[in-house]
Amino acid sequence: MKTLLLRFLFSFICPLIFTGISYAGKINVVVSIYPLKDIVKQAGGDMVDVDFIVPSGASPHTFEPTPSDMLKMHRARMFVIIGAGLEFWADRAVKAAGRRDLKVIALSEGMPLIYGGHSHGESRGVADPHIWLDPLLTRDMADRIAFALIELDGANGSYYRKRAEVFKRQLYELHMRIMKAVSRFRTREYVTFHPAWNYFSRRYGLKVIGVIEESPGKEASPRHIAGLINEIRKTGARVVFAEPQFNPKMADVIAKEAGARVLMLDPLGGPDLKGRDTYIGLMLYNLSILEQAMR
């Protein structure tokens, strides 16, 4: 029903706004979440215009696109998503946008995904989509984006390749900085609000001992909360990480009962968040929070 409504709106809106779209000049790219905007911009530089769909402060796991989002997709040449179920709305949004030539890039394809455990959804066969929180996987994502841009604009292929290589070197430097910082951590166990940090933890030898909200929008049961409190006490974990996209009330309750403290990790950042408005800035912010908690 939502897809039909969006397509109905488009039948009236699009001819008025986008008649005579030209592919001259910059490549219009739309991405799902804000961190991808910076990653695409790093690879595409002055040759791309990039917009994002999920607003800052919103959770991509419960977000629903609006007609204005469909307009963004209708005028784009490329739509970049994480995939692995993060953008559960993507297929119907692409159909509603009405662009048969829209190039859709799902960056999770071919990645070493984590399945089961604390992943999104209750089925152990569901993949965790939070691959962008591993800087080395983000290097692979930068390559995928550069290759996709070259397919659309081969005349500027060397430009995209060079920019991607520069960004990949910066990501490797970020990785080494995180490795050095983590080597000084006194504790490596923590509780998160939702299962966003599995790839980061796998890369850097940390351990998520519990997740407050295991499935998007599903409130934790009293039994689950009691289990988290016991796990924190048993392991001596000192922190519960909340996230700005979710209400921290339950994290506060659990931390108080377990004798831990609450700090804020941010998997998404945003254009108006100083220090978190680029991918590398966002990851350095999260590293600084981890250092407060774990050293």
Side-chain angles (χ1 to χ4, degrees):
M1 180 63 71
K2 289 180 180 178
T3 300
L4 290 174
L5 176 60
L6 289 171
R7 296 182 78 170
F8 175 77
L9 289 171
F10 251 65
S11 68
F12 289 95
I13 296 172
C14 288
L16 296 175
I17 298 179
F18 294 114
T19 300
I21 290 175
S22 172
Y23 285 161
K26 296 184 179 183
I27 299 173
N28 287 328
V29 181
V30 173
V31 302
S32 56
I33 58 174
Y34 182 74
L36 292 182
K37 178 178 180 178
D38 184 56
I39 296 168
V40 172
K41 192 66 179 176
Q42 292 296 333
D46 294 333
M47 303 303 296
V48 297
D49 275 329
V50 191
D51 205 347
F52 65 104
I53 288 181
V54 180
S56 300
S59 168
H61 306 290
T62 55
F63 170 81
E64 289 283 354
T66 65
S68 64
D69 297 320
M70 300 304 100
L71 296 179
K72 294 177 184 178
M73 294 174 62
H74 183 80
R75 67 186 176 191
R77 296 185 65 187
M78 188 162 79
F79 179 37
V80 182
I81 63 175
I82 293 296
L86 182 70
E87 303 90 349
F88 60 92
W89 43 265
D91 287 345
R92 55 186 167 84
V94 169
K95 290 179 182 178
R99 287 292 303 276
R100 294 183 179 179
D101 60 343
L102 180 64
K103 189 176 186 64
V104 181
I105 307 297
L107 295 170
S108 61
E109 292 179 359
M111 290 287 192
L113 299 178
I114 295 172
Y115 290 86
H118 296 304
S119 63
H120 282 279
E122 297 182 2
S123 170
R124 299 193 71 84
V126 174
D128 182 338
H130 300 88
I131 55 174
W132 71 93
L133 295 172
D134 178 339
L136 294 190
L137 293 184
T138 300
R139 280 166 53 94
D140 296 336
M141 290 162 56
D143 272 335
R144 284 283 307 281
I145 291 165
F147 292 152
L149 291 172
I150 291 168
E151 288 179 352
L152 291 176
D153 181 23
N156 290 299
S158 62
Y159 176 81
Y160 300 127
R161 281 190 289 268
K162 287 176 182 177
R163 287 195 61 89
E165 287 303 316
V166 169
F167 185 49
K168 286 166 61 181
R169 286 197 295 271
Q170 294 171 347
L171 290 172
Y172 187 75
E173 291 170 1
L174 170 66
H175 162 69
M176 294 304 295
R177 182 169 175 176
I178 296 172
M179 287 277 288
K180 184 176 180 181
V182 169
S183 71
R184 298 193 292 265
F185 285 3
R186 288 189 294 165
T187 180
R188 291 170 178 261
E189 297 160 325
Y190 60 99
V191 169
T192 62
F193 188 87
H194 96 293
W197 301 93
N198 294 325
Y199 292 97
F200 184 93
S201 296
R202 179 177 70 178
R203 178 68 65 188
Y204 299 110
L206 304 178
K207 185 177 181 181
V208 179
I209 60 170
V211 174
I212 297 172
E213 187 179 277
E214 293 186 289
S215 297
K218 183 178 180 181
E219 188 172 319
S221 68
R223 181 178 179 181
H224 181 67
I225 292 169
L228 287 175
I229 293 169
N230 288 335
E231 191 68 20
I232 293 170
R233 289 171 175 167
K234 183 174 70 175
T235 61
R238 300 183 299 177
V239 66
V240 175
F241 288 118
E243 296 175 17
Q245 295 80 29
F246 300 93
N247 189 329
K249 182 178 178 180
M250 189 54 65
D252 291 333
V253 169
I254 291 170
K256 184 176 180 180
E257 286 294 321
R261 59 175 174 159
V262 175
L263 292 173
M264 194 74 69
L265 291 177
D266 185 358
L268 294 175
D272 302 318
L273 299 174
K274 186 177 181 180
R276 286 179 274 166
D277 55 353
T278 67
Y279 174 82
I280 289 177
L282 175 65
M283 296 305 292
L284 289 176
Y285 162 82
N286 287 314
L287 179 61
S288 71
I289 299 300
L290 285 163
E291 286 182 306
Q292 289 182 46
M294 316 289 267
R295 287 182 68 175

